[in-house]
Amino acid sequence: MSSFTARFASQDEIEHWDKHVTANPNGGNLLQSAAFAAVKRNFGWDVRYLVLDGPEASSYNLVLEKSFPVMGRLWYLIKGPDVASVDDVPAALEAIKEFVEREKLRVFAVKIEPDIVDSDHARDVLAKAGLAKSFNLQPNDSTAILDITPEPGPLLRSLHSRGRNAVRRAEREGVEVEVAEPTLANYRTMHSLMTGTLNTKSRHGAQVRSFEYYRQFWTEFTSRGQGRLYFVYENGRPSVGAFVINYGRKATYKDGGSLQHRTQYGDSHLVQWTAILDMKTLGCTEYDFCGTPPADKLKDTSHPFHGLGLFKTSFTKSVTDFVGVWDYVIDVPRYTAWTTAGERVARQLYTRRTGQQFY
């Protein structure tokens, strides 16, 4: 187990934030990026740039912070801490606690969400370090990940037969995928494909945020050359849309939507295949389909992501479950007040006031 010290990043490190994050032990995550920080700053969060200095390397972690009267501050290490092993997490959190107390930052708890694969050992390490399991927040705490390092031919043959056959048929039948310009009109079209209506839930049951949230999100990533919008057209209008992010060596199918009644077979599969090939040319080595049911619930037809899971596992043959969200308690009385009533009230008030999701 390594030892760490914690500090806030320097101005120079912040200016080159993505370079540092993508050099983290696990390669970073788009939710730790400068683009994402810019979005969350406009949607109820303060942003902190935290560095964990270890004996061999430093880990750069985005912290989302909310402040509450009397209680103090809650920190959310979104997709962090990014350390080499779950065995390093307790030492990283001890360093954060020492830093918080030394700098009198009034943080009562830290939510962590490391991209560490779930296992009995991982849960045991976190529990023994005093962390409490909380509810998961991100859709890709269970997800399908495809290794895209093989050449296109072998890579296509490696897909599940359902996905491979759908891609080939769509190509034979002349389905065309276009990279759409990042315009306001195209963003509105994409958002409508995601919802199908003006409701806040997609037909797959996934929560869909406001158009303004996605407009800022997509703009921040495309302006940095880290995102692409894809459309398939049918009868002259977009029928399938996907927004895919390239961040370091990781590509992520972040957002998707489609018309319910379409005639072009395999169009959604061809969008993904096209994006996968593009991400390879940008140097990505893995493609995250961003959200499935947990591995043990893939066949559960009542799960809200059941349909998405079937689609995404037509490319990969397995699901990766990460450890999800855990709470590291720094101040026990204030954390108890938070979990007893504070969090519920804070979430209700924030949503009522802004119409946005709390997390």
Side-chain angles (χ1 to χ4, degrees), residues 3-17:
S3 60
F4 297 90
T5 57
R7 60 179 174 85
F8 288 135
S10 68
Q11 188 58 42
D12 180 72
E13 288 172 318
I14 294 172
E15 290 174 0
H16 299 89
W17 185 249

Side-chain angles (χ1 to χ4, degrees), residues 19 32 41 76 81 103 109 118 134 161 167 174-175 191 201 211 232 234 239 245 254 283 286 297 307 332:
K19 180 187 75 172
Q32 299 167 317
R41 194 179 286 113
Y76 175 19
E103 299 296 324
D118 190 28
S134 186
S161 60
V167 168
V175 176
H191 193 253
K201 288 240 182 132
F211 171 72
V232 164
E234 186 170 306
S239 56
I245 291 172
K254 175 61 177 63
E286 68 177 49
K297 295 186 181 298
V332 173

Side-chain angles (χ1 to χ4, degrees), residues 224-235:
R224 291 170 169 81
Q226 296 172 338
R228 293 188 181 188
L229 178 62
Y230 295 86
F231 282 150
V232 164
Y233 291 82
E234 186 170 306
N235 298 322

Side-chain angles (χ1 to χ4, degrees), residues 30 74 90 92 131 178 194 197 209 230 232 234 243 251 298 357-358:
L30 72 93
L74 173 71
L131 280 82
E178 295 184 4
M194 292 169 65
T197 66
R209 295 178 186 263
Y230 295 86
V232 164
E234 186 170 306
F243 188 79
L298 267 179
Q357 292 182 43
F358 183 82

Side-chain angles (χ1 to χ4, degrees), residues 92-146:
L93 292 174
E94 280 296 318
I96 292 172
K97 181 179 180 179
E98 291 173 6
F99 175 60
V100 163
E101 292 176 344
R102 184 174 70 249
E103 299 296 324
K104 298 180 173 57
L105 298 176
R106 298 189 66 246
V107 176
F108 64 87
V110 179
K111 284 189 173 295
I112 71 165
E113 188 181 46
D115 271 348
I116 291 171
V117 175
D118 190 28
S119 67
D120 290 340
H121 172 70
R123 290 192 297 272
D124 186 57
V125 168
L126 298 177
K128 285 183 177 177
L131 280 82
K133 183 71 180 80
S134 186
F135 51 89
N136 291 351
L137 294 170
Q138 300 303 326
N140 63 340
D141 286 324
S142 289
T143 191
I145 298 175
L146 178 66

